[in-house]
Structure formats: structure tokens, C-alpha cells
Amino acid sequence: MNILMAEPLTLVALLMIVSLLLLLQDSDDDNSGGGLRQPVMIPIRVRDQQRR
């Protein structure tokens, strides 16, 4: 009976390892390419005095 349980347990363990590896991958919120990207802040110059 132990032989019959070894195959499903191996399959479950393999699925758990693959799912953990997918979860631990680098997230898409950085600019490494593809996926969702956060907006980039662009500095805008503000003048204190008006032009002459």
C-alpha cells in the first residue's frame, strides 16, 4: 500500500515546489522588462522669477 501512496505524494511535492518557485520569482513592479511598470517620476523645473 505504501507504493500506491508514493506516486501521488511525489506529484503533490513537485507541484508545491514549482508553485513556490513561481511565487518567489522577481515581481513585475520593477523596470526589468515586461509586465506592469510603476510610473517614472520626471523632474519639472520651476522658476522663482519670471523671464525678462
Side-chain angles (χ1 to χ4, degrees):
M1 186 162 173
N2 288 340
I3 297 173
L4 294 176
M5 288 296 290
E7 194 171 334
L9 287 178
T10 305
L11 181 63
V12 169
L14 184 65
L15 288 174
M16 295 272 287
I17 290 171
V18 169
S19 63
L20 281 175
L21 287 176
L22 288 174
L23 283 174
L24 294 176
Q25 270 186 344
D26 201 18
S27 61
D28 285 339
D29 60 354
D30 57 356
N31 289 334
S32 62
L36 299 174
R37 295 186 179 191
Q38 291 182 351
V40 178
M41 301 297 286
I42 300 173
I44 299 174
R45 293 182 183 174
V46 178
R47 296 176 189 254
D48 290 338
Q49 299 173 355
Q50 291 188 359
R51 294 178 115 177
R52 294 182 184 180

